[in-house]
Amino acid sequence: MLDWIGEQHGSSRSAASAVARAEAYLASRQAPDGHWRDYWLLHGQSEDWVTACCGLALAQSPRQGACGRAIQAAARALRRAARPGGWGYHRDSVPDADSSAWAVRFLATAGWLRKDQYTTFLQQYLDERGRAHTFLPSELAGRWGDAHADVTPVVGIALLAAAVDSTIVRRIREGVIQGMDPQGFWPSYWWTTDTYATARSLEFLALSGGVPDAVLARTPVWLASQTVTDPPFVVAQGLTVATLIGFDTEGWLDALLELQKSDGSWPPSSVLLVPDKEGSAAQGAAHADEERMLGTAMAIMAVKTWLRQMDRTAQGAAHRAPDSLRP
């Protein structure tokens, strides 16, 4: 028992140190206007979406000093960037459900969201089956206006954070469960890796009532078939999946920590897709987070999820141990 607790404490210290260095990296790379920017696509860099993700990575645990100031600056920047329809890839792009959901979740976590603020427009992306469409369906949107399994749970988590009516959450939950592939994963549309949609779906299910037994019976088999030598972004999603289903996390955590650079960031991962709106098979080349913002934010969130789970596990073990074995 003591050996197990000591081993977990050692891993937790390494993980917490990695998080602290990554947070310092993000705080140091924030632009003077409060945004973080990453990716170079045809229409420029992302700012709304990336700022929301980076801000959330910092805001998921109490932070003082530079990180605290970065959170406040990011919240102000996103409030200024908000349009009637929400947020988009950047301030000049059409608002979309995914970017808007990350922004709402961040603002709620940071304490900058009033009750029911920004939630009505998020609900317009939901269909009657509880699935979220990245863009409102239209001829112009093409396949981008379809329901996507990597967007639905992100919208669900944002609405949970904004304390929306529980009937809406239940509808999204049903949509997420129905969207699972029989093999135990959720298919990503905007990413080369299904671990992203699977991580977000499990996160939403865990937050909205628990991961169903049917999922817990299938997803471990699928995860066991995935490699832990993929790009950092993929490893971070794999760690999240493993943590949320109670799967062995050691390989995923070790791989992620080993990939961290000396400056606290994680290397770029070429995994972001911009699929053809018309639905042709060709999706084009995958894009990388060359500024190392988005991938670093995702790694921080994955490790923080693991740390929270380890803390709950350690508390449970200490509670069950005989008095002589308690720390």
Side-chain angles (χ1 to χ4, degrees):
M1 171 68 80
L2 287 178
D3 289 342
W4 181 86
I5 292 176
E7 180 181 342
Q8 296 307 306
H9 284 178
S11 296
S12 295
R13 283 193 293 271
S14 296
S17 175
V19 165
R21 288 184 285 116
E23 289 181 326
Y25 174 82
L26 286 186
S28 70
R29 297 297 301 276
Q30 187 178 34
D33 64 359
H35 284 286
W36 283 277
R37 294 177 175 86
D38 210 337
Y39 294 103
W40 279 104
L41 303 186
L42 180 62
H43 300 294
Q45 285 185 299
S46 172
E47 51 186 3
D48 291 5
W49 168 51
V50 170
T51 297
C53 291
C54 290
L56 179 63
L58 298 183
Q60 283 188 326
S61 54
R63 284 291 175 261
Q64 305 294 326
C67 286
R69 291 190 294 272
I71 292 168
Q72 299 305 307
R76 286 192 294 269
L78 281 178
R79 288 286 292 271
R80 290 193 301 267
R83 283 92 78 191
W87 292 266
Y89 177 76
H90 54 56
R91 71 184 72 187
D92 295 323
S93 62
V94 176
D96 65 81
D98 190 64
S99 301
S100 297
W102 280 108
V104 167
R105 184 182 179 186
F106 162 58
L107 291 173
T109 302
W112 281 64
L113 194 72
R114 298 189 299 273
K115 183 175 175 58
D116 298 328
Q117 188 180 27
Y118 302 127
T119 58
T120 300
F121 66 78
L122 266 184
Q123 295 176 47
Q124 70 181 335
Y125 293 100
L126 296 172
D127 61 27
E128 60 183 12
R129 296 173 59 186
R131 305 172 306 172
H133 299 243
T134 307
F135 293 90
L136 295 177
S138 69
E139 184 176 347
L140 183 61
R143 296 296 300 275
W144 291 10
D146 291 350
H148 298 129
D150 43 0
V151 176
T152 298
V154 179
V155 171
I157 295 171
L159 292 174
L160 272 173
V164 77
D165 187 271
S166 60
T167 58
I168 298 173
V169 175
R170 285 197 297 271
R171 179 156 57 100
I172 299 172
R173 184 176 171 87
E174 292 174 2
V176 169
I177 293 173
Q178 291 299 317
M180 186 182 73
D181 185 275
Q183 295 184 35
F185 68 91
W186 281 262
S188 295
Y189 178 77
W190 296 100
W191 305 91
T192 63
T193 171
D194 293 328
T195 55
Y196 176 84
T198 303
R200 301 286 77 74
S201 296
L202 290 169
E203 184 180 17
F204 169 71
L205 292 175
L207 291 170
S208 63
V211 181
D213 290 341
V215 175
L216 293 175
R218 297 175 182 173
T219 303
V221 178
W222 169 79
L223 185 62
S225 69
Q226 307 302 300
T227 176
V228 296
T229 58
D230 282 316
F233 181 94
V234 179
V235 178
Q237 310 312 315
L239 174 60
T240 299
V241 172
T243 301
L244 293 173
I245 63 174
F247 194 77
D248 181 17
T249 58
E250 183 178 358
W252 293 99
L253 178 66
D254 289 348
L256 188 60
L257 297 185
E258 288 174 5
L259 288 168
Q260 189 176 28
K261 295 170 66 69
S262 60
D263 64 3
S265 70
W266 272 269
S269 299
S270 296
V271 291
L272 176 65
L273 291 175
V274 183
D276 179 36
K277 290 183 181 180
E278 303 307 315
S280 66
Q283 293 183 315
H287 302 273
D289 52 323
E290 297 293 354
E291 302 298 330
R292 309 196 301 278
M293 305 294 183
L294 197 283
T296 298
M298 288 290 173
I300 290 173
M301 287 188 273
V303 177
K304 284 185 176 181
T305 297
W306 181 86
L307 284 167
R308 288 192 295 271
Q309 182 58 43
M310 289 304 102
D311 184 57
R312 287 191 290 267
T313 300
Q315 289 181 13
H319 178 74
R320 293 190 300 271
D323 290 341
S324 60
L325 294 181
R326 289 179 183 171

